[in-house]
Amino acid sequence: MEHGTVKPLPMKELFFLVLSASGGAGHHRAGEALKQSASKTKLPIRIEHYDCLDFTSKFFKRLYSETYLQMVNKAPELWGYLYSKAEAKPYRKKGLLEVFDYFNYRQYIKFLQASNADAILCTHFLPFISISNEVLRAGIQSPFFAATTDFDVHQYWVDPIIQRYYVYDRESAWQLQAKGVPKEKVVITGIPLMPEFATKANSSSLRTRFRLEKKAFTVLLASGGFGVGRVHEIVLSVVQAFEHYPKKTFNLMIVCGNNEELSLKVNQLSYPPNVVVKIFGFVNNMHELMDASDVLISKAGGLTSAEAMAKGLPMIIVDPIPGQESRNAGIITEHGAGWQALDYHNLRYKLERLINDPDLLRRAREATQSLAKPKAAVAILEDVYSSLQPKSKIGERT
């Protein structure tokens, strides 16, 4: 070391606590994405990820997650009505609900107190709106940050406890500002995705590995992590479209998630000889399946949609849940990065248009780039770290 130089002090390691909630698989995936992306930042940070409902009673956790799944599956119109109705005013606990939350979340509050985290990042609104009134009384000094997980931002995400919101794009930022959130508290990063979605593999090599036809038009059909949706009927529509082109070969990959009944049904179907079919249960390599595909047929969940955009994979959206998914679908179609099928007959029409006019697919693939945010998780972690440093400034990431 030269005379007169000062050796820089090592940066202090910071502890980031990531919190999600069991209300659909996407919130948990976003939390895991933040955790797995820590090594990509080269920052001195340590991350732990928890489901806030694990600190409540087993009954309440089951009630919360199952009520959501049953409603979106059995009564989606009711869910859409409640979603829109809840936009009208901020979340407020009243009466018995406030008493229940106090006793139900006592263990959770104690955990937050003991964690002494340098930052708390939430990929669901429940980890902070459930206890926002109790945080100061409990002496919790950790700053809270919100990484939203849809293209739209619901009113329930808005809470004074949040120091910064990380949102998908400019429209998401505008929506938050329209709800009264100061502009300086909103940072555009995208939805946190696993590191695998920041790179792209060779589709031909992957098709060989999956035993698919290398040059065939390839459809990926995803039912979601819980197998929600009428996938059986969708498969029939896809097969009917392919049957109209007996001289062409097609690849069809079906991801059934944890739905064993659905997996059994699609395995029992009769497929035409010009269709190569691969059926999967729950998968950990969705990034590879997307890289091997030409188009994704799916609902419009925030994480799935963001993953597809990051992979340059256009979507045909079927049965979006009224509320957050229908708003995601609107943004995707508005950008020209996908299409929404009105029903199963319309899905067949959309597919046949793509088969007859490959240029439609090319233009949609190009349009995904305006929505692709593959490195959002790294951007969020870096911005949180920067915000904790003295004299940091809030800036927008694009």
Side-chain angles (χ1 to χ4, degrees), residues 146-198:
T148 61
T149 50
D150 282 293
F151 295 12
D152 179 60
V153 185
H154 191 272
Q155 177 66 44
Y156 275 5
W157 284 92
V158 179
D159 193 288
I161 198 175
I162 297 299
Q163 293 202 6
R164 293 196 193 186
Y165 298 85
Y166 298 101
V167 299
Y168 195 79
D169 64 5
R170 295 182 184 275
E171 184 169 351
S172 316
W174 184 91
Q175 289 172 337
L176 266 184
Q177 292 164 35
K179 292 177 170 67
V181 176
K183 182 179 181 180
E184 61 269 17
K185 294 181 69 172
V186 183
V187 185
I188 299 171
T189 55
I191 296 171
L193 305 178
M194 295 293 281
E196 292 82 1
F197 290 91

Side-chain angles (χ1 to χ4, degrees), residues 26-39:
H27 302 287
H28 181 81
R29 292 214 311 273
E32 280 300 296
L34 289 169
K35 180 179 179 180
Q36 295 298 324
S37 297
S39 62

Side-chain angles (χ1 to χ4, degrees), residues 279-323:
I279 300 171
F280 305 88
F282 182 84
V283 299
N284 291 313
N285 64 333
M286 183 60 79
H287 56 288
E288 293 181 324
L289 300 183
M290 286 187 174
D291 279 334
S293 303
D294 291 308
V295 67
L296 169 67
I297 298 176
S298 177
K299 289 176 171 290
L303 266 290
T304 297
S305 299
E307 289 167 352
M309 297 301 102
K311 285 295 187 180
L313 182 64
M315 297 178 67
I316 300 179
I317 300 164
V318 184
D319 279 351
I321 299 169

